[in-house]
Amino acid sequence: MTDEHAGAVLDIYRHGIATGDATFETEPPTWTRFTATRPPAHRWVALDDVGVLGWVACTPVSDRCVYAGVVEHSVYVHPDARGRGVGRLLLQRLINSTEQAGIWTIQSGIFPENTASLALHHACGFRTVGTRERLGRHHGRWRDVVLVERRSPTLS
């Protein structure tokens, strides 16, 4: 993922936000803020002849050294590209890059209503840790968040 993908990445993020079940965010960040919080070594896009089909990126969960091997991630697929294996491809690429970097845990918070994302994560080796009930308010209502994680079998 490079600066040339900025418009498409933020547009795909905007589509995800519009579903109401992808994130607590209500608007995508600026590209400057997006890239500042997501390490370049673990940001990926899926491309075809037309352009960006989806993206995956992660952020460290903490700056404390004991959490150096733990990241939180997001994966978004353009609505026109869903159901084609793009999400699985992106998650696998993230798993590979993080394992090569010595990261042992990838986690994410997913709304329980986002059943497609939960299924994708489970298919890619993530497990449900639990549900964080009424974690935050979103569009005027409390939302639960399912915490999923994948522990590297080679780095644990």
Side-chain angles (χ1 to χ4, degrees):
M1 181 188 301
T2 66
D3 289 347
E4 76 179 78
H5 304 119
V9 167
L10 295 179
D11 185 54
I12 291 168
Y13 198 7
R14 192 171 287 105
H15 281 288
I17 291 168
T19 69
D21 287 331
T23 178
F24 280 109
E25 299 298 331
T26 56
E27 289 292 326
T30 65
W31 183 247
T32 300
R33 179 168 156 73
F34 183 96
T35 59
T37 58
R38 294 163 177 87
H42 308 298
R43 294 190 316 229
W44 304 98
V45 292
L47 303 170
D48 70 0
D49 296 341
V50 178
V52 178
L53 301 174
W55 60 269
V56 66
C58 66
T59 58
V61 297
S62 175
D63 60 0
R64 294 180 60 201
C65 64
V66 297
Y67 296 110
V70 184
V71 295
E72 183 171 4
H73 81 285
S74 297
V75 59
Y76 285 81
V77 176
H78 191 281
D80 295 340
R82 292 184 186 147
R84 296 173 30 195
V86 173
R88 183 185 292 256
L89 176 76
L90 288 164
L91 269 182
Q92 192 56 58
R93 186 64 188 103
L94 180 68
I95 290 166
N96 292 343
S97 74
T98 55
E99 284 194 347
Q100 289 172 6
I103 293 170
W104 59 83
T105 300
I106 306 170
Q107 66 183 33
S108 190
I110 303 170
F111 290 140
E113 296 83 2
N114 195 343
T115 56
S117 184
L118 288 168
L120 167 66
H121 283 82
H122 290 144
C124 289
F126 286 74
R127 71 179 184 97
T128 296
V129 176
T131 300
R132 302 173 79 188
E133 296 176 353
R134 297 173 48 96
L135 186 64
R137 292 184 62 78
H138 181 242
H139 298 298
R141 70 179 176 113
W142 287 103
R143 299 294 298 264
D144 295 348
V145 173
V146 178
L147 179 61
V148 297
E149 73 174 13
R150 182 190 181 279
R151 297 275 178 114
S152 169
T154 59
L155 300 173
S156 297

